[in-house]
Amino acid sequence: MSLTSALNAASSGLSLINSQLQVTSKNIAYANKDGYTTKTLPGVQGVNETTLGSYVMSGQVRREVDETLRNSYFNELSGGGYAQTLATYTKRLDALFGSLDNESSIPNRVTALTDTLTQLAADPSSGPAQSAVVASAKDLAFSLNTTAQDVQSMRAEVDDMAYEQVQSVNDLLKNIESQEDRIIQTRAEGQSTAELEDEMDLLVKDLSSYMDVEVHKDSNGAMRISTQSGYTLYDDQAAQLSIGRTPTMTAGIEGAPLKIVSPSGAESNLTAADMQGGSIGGLLTLRDDVLPEAQRQLDEIAATMSLALSRNVDEGQAADDGGTPPVETGRSVDVSGFDQSGDVIELSFTTASGQTRDVSFVAVKDPSILPLSGDHTNKAGDLVFGIDISGGGAPMETQLQNALGPKFSVSIGAGGELSVLSDQASTGIKINDLTSLTSKTSVSEPGLAVPMFTDGRDGGGAFTGALENGGQVTGYALSIMVNPEVVKDTSVLGGEAGGGGSSAQDSTRAEFLIDQLNTTQFAFSADTGIGAKNSPFEGSISDFAQQVVSAQGSQAATAQSRLDVTETAVSSAKLAYEKSYKVDVDEQLTNLLELQNAYSANARVLSAVNSMFDELMQVVR
């Protein structure tokens, strides 16, 4: 090797080592910086075409990252954001509903009302006992009101948070677009993009905590980010998310959908699959599913309790066509009070094949909502027909007959007695039961039932379970209140008013109310998340209230358990990912020592060549 070649080799080696020393020193200095990855600077060997001497030059700074581990970590972050959001709010929700050993919880408020009614039954004419019932009823109504209000406040809170986080995502997407532009420009200039890519990973990491995303890179390093259902969030240009704030978040009001707006302006609603991860997915799951279900549970308690106490229940009796012997037999029931929207007539019969069929006729005053679906009652498998009682349609008798068909004979007498008969010998149909459930709207109406609670919306009014305007049940827990008539005259609870054969010393009414709260079995809506449509939860009002509290506790425990599992997964994925790129300071110090030794060696070569040149110049002189 010529002296010139040796000089060039040593000089280029010193230059490379100097650059490598800078990279190694920076690795050590930034070892604890979040997202900083270990950098290396490879040397590239070259050959001088003129002298044929070899030399080394610096390549581009590279970073050490396992992209598979990185993507796995980002996916786990998304799951962690979702789980953390659900766990936080379901814990708060559980606290709102209280526990079974908390005397202010709704089940215990129901028990307290039952206890005061029991005391009233022992002394129906006692003014203090009557007042105690009203006080307990007010406490129960207040608990339902405040819990429902808190649920809606939480819905408004998560709606606002979702809006704010969507704006954060949009900022991140714009920053990702700008960062990729810088990476492309830097790459085109032939410079290293390693540190820019570190910054990009931090942006995608933050994005992953908000949403469950898929990140892809093509062979040229260009990045594409999409949602789980395939909508593109970034591909050369950033899309934007769009969601509106819901001005008034009340029961029955749906929140605004989350949309994606492409760079060209095209809008699409994101799907349920896109809501299964990330904190935004958790917030929208709370807003649209978890919290509305909690509201429905409260509404169901309030509605079922109100109807249980205010509805007169007539089981009907055996009836026939009057022949000797009768040809058609069946049941009859008084429907003279069938005049409120939400009133129900229930029919049960056995077909010729031995199957038991249930039919529910529900009164409506707005024929535009007809026909009704089977979801308008809580019974499993019943056929539901709406009966127009507005006076603008066919007579009630005609509507019932048309609904049941020619195998049944339907008639309503002048006194309001409904008869449903069938010729069992020819049709094979046996009428089993016919029941009328009609709501009392005033304490002065006859019957043991008492309209203890009313609907405080729109100036106040009777609660009858009306189906119009989205249904009276929706949001009822927010507005349930003790009937002002009962507050004004508590003696109606002791049998001094209201008819039904009761008297001041008659405990029949109080015992009826106790039975309705504590013993009578009701079917509860599966929309509450308790029971199923084909197998609804059946029990007393007290049973259902306890079930609701237990369900909230179970939901919170499940969410916390999921968070615990997810946090472990996030921690493991983070550890594996960081291990793939984190700076090992000991290793870098060793590299630094080796580079220093190499620098010294090249310096000695350079010094030796210099000495040889000096000696050569001496000889020449």
Side-chain angles (χ1 to χ4, degrees):
M1 176 185 294
S2 68
L3 290 178
T4 301
S5 296
L7 181 64
N8 288 338
S11 178
S12 64
L14 284 174
S15 178
L16 171 62
I17 293 168
N18 186 56
S19 296
Q20 289 175 328
L21 282 168
Q22 291 178 17
V23 170
T24 303
S25 298
K26 191 170 185 179
N27 283 341
I28 295 171
Y30 286 89
N32 294 321
K33 182 182 178 181
D34 185 34
Y36 183 84
T37 61
T38 302
K39 307 297 189 299
T40 59
L41 179 62
V44 179
Q45 185 173 355
V47 176
N48 189 308
E49 294 181 358
T50 302
T51 65
L52 299 180
S54 63
Y55 61 91
V56 290
M57 59 181 181
S58 299
Q60 287 192 348
V61 176
R62 298 175 183 172
R63 65 191 196 126
E64 303 294 330
V65 176
D66 187 319
E67 293 191 356
T68 300
L69 292 176
R70 180 195 63 193
N71 292 340
S72 175
Y73 172 47
F74 290 172
N75 285 338
E76 295 296 347
L77 272 179
S78 173
Y82 183 89
Q84 179 66 65
T85 302
L86 283 186
T88 298
Y89 280 92
T90 54
K91 182 178 180 180
R92 285 175 56 183
L93 194 59
D94 182 36
L96 281 182
F97 278 74
S99 60
L100 296 178
D101 57 0
N102 184 340
E103 73 173 30
S104 64
S105 67
I106 292 171
N108 288 328
R109 293 294 191 195
V110 175
T111 299
L113 178 57
T114 305
D115 290 344
T116 56
L117 283 168
T118 301
Q119 294 169 13
L120 178 63
D123 188 2
S125 62
S126 169
Q130 295 164 4
S131 297
V133 171
V134 172
S136 291
K138 285 183 176 180
D139 287 342
L140 175 52
F142 180 75
S143 290
L144 288 165
N145 296 158
T146 54
T147 306
Q149 184 58 59
D150 286 340
V151 168
Q152 294 311 314
S153 295
M154 287 175 67
R155 283 193 77 205
E157 180 182 327
V158 298
D159 185 68
D160 284 342
M161 288 183 66
Y163 177 87
E164 292 168 1
Q165 290 192 11
V166 163
Q167 308 319 307
S168 296
V169 166
N170 287 336
D171 290 342
L172 281 170
L173 290 171
K174 282 297 185 183
N175 290 339
I176 286 171
E177 180 179 327
S178 299
Q179 188 71 4
E180 177 129 304
D181 288 344
R182 286 193 287 271
I183 289 173
I184 292 172
Q185 179 64 34
T186 302
R187 188 181 292 134
E189 293 171 355
Q191 299 179 29
S192 169
T193 62
E195 292 198 20
L196 292 175
E197 290 180 42
D198 282 355
E199 295 170 7
M200 177 67 88
D201 281 353
L202 288 175
L203 292 172
V204 177
K205 172 188 171 183
D206 290 343
L207 178 64
S208 297
S209 69
Y210 289 120
M211 296 185 69
D212 190 5
V213 297
E214 292 284 347
V215 181
H216 308 275
K217 283 191 177 182
D218 63 21
S219 56
N220 296 323
M223 185 168 64
R224 179 178 181 273
I225 304 174
S226 62
T227 69
Q228 289 300 317
S229 63
Y231 287 108
T232 300
L233 289 169
Y234 175 78
D235 187 2
D236 188 46
Q237 288 182 288
Q240 294 283 274
L241 298 183
S242 172
I243 190 170
R245 272 194 169 105
T246 308
T248 305
M249 186 62 75
T250 57
I253 299 297
E254 294 185 359
L258 179 60
K259 298 181 179 181
I260 184 168
V261 184
S262 71
S264 67
E267 289 189 0
S268 302
N269 287 351
L270 292 183
T271 69
D274 300 315
M275 302 299 127
Q276 299 304 307
S279 57
I280 291 177
L283 291 170
L284 295 183
T285 298
L286 286 162
R287 187 196 69 178
D288 299 337
D289 298 321
V290 175
L291 294 172
E293 183 177 88
Q295 178 66 52
R296 289 192 294 271
Q297 291 170 355
L298 295 169
D299 290 342
E300 188 75 0
I301 293 171
T304 305
M305 179 177 63
S306 295
L307 293 175
L309 300 180
S310 66
R311 270 181 173 173
N312 287 323
V313 181
D314 190 338
E315 299 289 351
Q317 57 188 355
D320 58 51
D321 59 10
T324 308
V327 176
E328 294 184 322
T329 58
R331 305 284 291 180
S332 66
V333 71
D334 180 13
V335 294
S336 60
F338 190 79
D339 56 8
Q340 297 295 320
S341 180
D343 285 352
V344 180
I345 298 170
E346 295 179 341
L347 170 68
S348 176
F349 64 92
T350 303
T351 66
S353 62
Q355 292 182 313
T356 299
R357 294 287 179 84
D358 294 321
V359 184
S360 297
F361 300 98
V362 183
V364 300
K365 291 185 177 180
D366 180 4
S368 68
I369 66 176
L370 299 177
L372 300 180
S373 72
D375 294 337
H376 282 89
T377 72
N378 297 334
K379 295 180 68 174
D382 62 332
L383 298 173
V384 179
F385 294 96
I387 302 299
D388 179 10
I389 61 171
S390 66
M396 179 175 166
E397 179 180 305
T398 303
Q399 294 181 65
L400 292 168
Q401 182 66 71
N402 290 340
L404 290 174
K407 293 183 178 181
F408 296 84
S409 295
V410 177
S411 63
I412 299 179
E417 194 76 9
L418 166 66
S419 294
V420 179
L421 310 176
S422 184
D423 179 1
Q424 185 174 358
S426 63
T427 64
I429 292 174
K430 178 186 177 184
I431 310 296
N432 299 322
D433 294 297
L434 185 65
T435 304
S436 172
L437 299 92
T438 55
S439 296
K440 289 178 63 174
T441 59
S442 171
V443 296
S444 62
E445 296 175 25
L448 292 174
V450 177
M452 180 84 75
F453 299 98
T454 57
D455 191 343
R457 291 171 288 193
D458 301 324
F463 182 84
T464 64
L467 305 181
E468 288 78 8
N469 300 316
Q472 196 177 12
V473 173
T474 301
Y476 179 49
L478 283 160
S479 60
I480 184 174
M481 59 183 288
V482 177
N483 190 341
E485 290 186 26
V486 177
V487 176
K488 183 178 180 180
D489 182 10
T490 60
S491 65
V492 299
L493 299 171
E496 294 180 9
S502 56
S503 67
Q505 294 301 321
D506 190 350
S507 64
T508 308
R509 170 167 287 170
E511 290 170 352
F512 168 80
L513 298 177
I514 293 169
D515 185 65
Q516 290 297 95
L517 285 174
N518 230 28
T519 306
T520 303
Q521 303 288 291
F522 298 95
F524 293 86
S525 172
D527 289 339
T528 61
I530 297 172
K533 288 188 181 298
N534 60 350
S535 180
F537 177 83
E538 294 187 2
S540 69
I541 294 166
S542 180
D543 291 337
F544 182 72
Q546 293 179 28
Q547 192 70 23
V548 165
V549 170
S550 296
Q552 289 298 332
S554 177
Q555 177 177 251
T558 299
Q560 183 60 49
S561 177
R562 175 176 180 171
L563 176 60
D564 292 342
V565 171
T566 305
E567 284 182 334
T568 300
V570 170
S571 179
S572 297
K574 180 181 181 181
L575 185 63
Y577 171 50
E578 289 184 344
K579 188 176 180 180
S580 75
Y581 75 77
K582 271 287 188 181
V583 175
D584 184 333
V585 176
D586 290 340
E587 182 181 346
Q588 294 300 309
L589 288 172
T590 300
N591 290 343
L592 194 61
L593 182 61
E594 291 175 352
L595 288 170
Q596 288 172 339
N597 291 335
Y599 189 93
S600 298
N602 277 272
R604 287 195 297 272
V605 170
L606 194 60
S607 177
V609 170
N610 265 342
S611 296
M612 291 181 183
F613 267 117
D614 287 343
E615 291 178 7
L616 183 59
M617 293 300 294
Q618 290 287 344
V619 172
V620 171
R621 290 195 187 103

